[in-house]
Amino acid sequence: MPVNNRVGAGRIDVNGDSPTANGDDSASCNYQSKYITLISSDGFEFACLREAALVSPTIKGMLRSQFSEAKTGRCTFPEISGVIMERIVEYFHYYHTYRDRDDVPDLDVPVELCLELLVAADFFGLDNKINEGQQQQPASSVPRRQVAAAVTRPH
Amino acid sequence: MSRQNQPARRIQGPQSALTDFLASHNISANQIRLDADARRRAAQQGQDGQQNGADAGTSTAPITLDLPSPETARLDETEARTRGGKRRKAEQTAIDKIKASKKFQRRKRQVDDSEDDDDLARAIFQERSAPLPGQMENCAICGKRFTVTPYSRAAPDGGGLLCTPCGKELQQEGGPPKKKPKRATGGAVGRRRQQQSDILDGTYHRGAKPLMTLCIEKLTKHIDLADELGDLPPMIIDKIARNLSKHRLLDSRTLGLFLTPTAEDVHVYDGAKLSSEDLIRIFQTVPALKNLKIRNGIQFKDEVMDYLLSRDIELESFYLHGANLLSEEKWIQYLQEKGRSLQSLRVYFTDKHFGDGVLATLSTACPSLKRLKVTHNQAVSAEGIKNIGQIKTLRHLSLDLHKKVHPDIYVSLLSEIGYDLQTFSLTRVPDIDNTVLDALHNNCKSLQKLRITDSEVMTDEGFARLFNGWENKPLRFIDFQKCRQLDAGQPRENPDNTGLCSNGFKAMMAHSGRYLVDVNVHACRHISAAAFEEVFAADKVYPDLKNLEISFCEEVTDFIVGSIFRSCPNLHELNVFGCMKVKDVRVPMGKILVGVPNALGMVIEGDDD
């Protein structure tokens, strides 16, 4: 799939039906959305492809059944700071982009965030088990660059 | 020059046949050498003149430093003077050409108009006429002549090259050269090799690495920056410890990261760099220690054990690998004083200091011992194994001994503690025969893991008897590696059906197939193709089987491998080293087939859906 296509499609989606752009919309609309919103402790909101975020068993659990997160598509994490959350969302999309590839370039983890990210990775369940329970997913994906564009300032 | 060019008076010693031959054909080696010298000298002087002409513009007196004699120097000088004019003309046309070229225009745009056109053009000209490796050149700093090599450094002001001593000096002033970052994978081949290496390590995953792995790898690389690991879950701490040990980075300093007063587990996966003091430090800083694992703990000596004895630490699980300086008396003393709480004792590679005496102490000193593993041990003999029979609480037993033990000893051992055993593992036991299999059949009711390797006298009949009508519930782990007939005189024939053959294999899969996770029948080479086909027939399913090792089972064919993939939906890895009839198998998505004998590579990761 050509890269240009993906970028274009991604941008339109973010501005169109992502919960970030629409704010608190009606539950049914957000439930259908391809995107969910992850909110960090300091109020940053990250729009994240739902499919990509589902790699985390923690988020998968939150979005299942009748929790309020499942209805609104907004997940608040009071333990995770914005800096860390940005990396986590970046990882979700990185993982999603390369999920069926053999030669995957390593995502660069900044040394100073290493330990905090390790704790966050444990919190989100991003350990060896994610590869075991991996399912075949449709091939649409969002490039990493877009993550930065989808960040909104705290209100 | 003319004097040198003339053939010298021929006063000569004995000469070679080749010289004679050449002389008879009117070829003089001396003449050839002189001609070559003259040509080389002319080329050098030509360059000197060019250089000086370019640098000084109008100068007509090139300075050459190390000419052999004043006479030749004078000759060179005159020659250079006559050539100088010609060269300057040629240079001027070259520079004009450069000025007209596109490259020059581009360069001029990049550089501001600070330099005038002539300087810029001359710089390009010099760049182009820089001497090639192998030629002589004057050093731009000290002026000495030297031979240009590909490693010769350019002068800092951009004009000319430097000789080796000046180059070194310059390098020292500028600090050590920046090393190129080392790439982990060298191109496509390196990546493929790394991937295959990962597959063999069992760490291969399609897709991106887990974030945790990425973080731990980064942390390992920069472990020297870490002062403490903070409040991480024990599982992550353990992963970091493993990764550090893998890179041989666990030493006195990094050990401190894992020693927190509240910890209950300390796992030292590579203690090769730790001293006795470091090991003592473990007991000093971790008073609540329950589970201790030390690999390569060479420095775990008597003094360390003394210190452990002096502390109030009651270990529940003790795993010691490579501590061959620890004496038997200390082992016995430890067990007598601290054995009460011990539930698991695993001892590897201890040469001769962990013997029958220690095993005799276990039954009285350790009332709650559940797991015992003694491997690579040269001291334990039949006497010690008899004593294991007294440990009625034992659930898991693994032995890998050097001394020969008669099968009867194992038979009586199984009759005493076999009923509750969940793990029974005998590695490298060439003399163990069917009586042990019968004892397993008669005594064991709760076995889950069974390993008997390298037996040369067990027969197919014995294996079939073990599994047919066995009251034990299905096993989860079976390893009958290298239980096969070994007769170099008649390698093909196997009249007595020695080793695990067709009937035993069929009985094994019929009894345990439903719950088996790991099966290893490596080199059980008399299992027939018909038996494999029957076991992995279309209607048979082995839902739990993850790892199957059938290397060196000669009869395995493409069809059998395909049948295995069909019958084992959750198979992760299949090993077929040395199965020469496997030629071209289609591997389902996500499965790993290792050891295919083809030129493509020994590992195939499945692509087919």
Side-chain angles (χ1 to χ4, degrees), chain A residues 88 91 94-95 98-104 106 108-109 111 114-115 117-119 122 126-128 131, chain B residues 191 204-216 218-219 222 225 228-229 232-233 236 239-240:
Chain A
I88 294 286
Y91 177 79
Y94 158 82
Y95 185 89
Y98 290 108
R99 65 201 179 289
D100 283 336
R101 301 268 294 272
D102 268 339
D103 47 337
V104 182
D106 278 357
D108 189 47
V109 178
V111 182
C114 219
L115 285 174
L117 263 181
L118 206 48
V119 177
D122 183 48
L126 303 173
D127 50 17
N128 284 329
N131 282 316
Chain B
R191 268 201 301 279
Y204 173 79
H205 293 296
R206 171 171 277 245
K209 284 181 191 167
L211 182 59
M212 204 177 273
T213 312
L214 288 170
C215 287
I216 289 174
K218 193 78 175 183
L219 185 64
H222 299 276
L225 298 175
E228 56 167 355
L229 292 179
L232 292 173
I236 297 184
K239 281 187 170 185
I240 298 171

Side-chain angles (χ1 to χ4, degrees), chain A residues 27 44 53 66 69 119 151:
Chain A
F44 284 91
Q66 296 305 307
E69 285 92 350
V119 177
V151 177

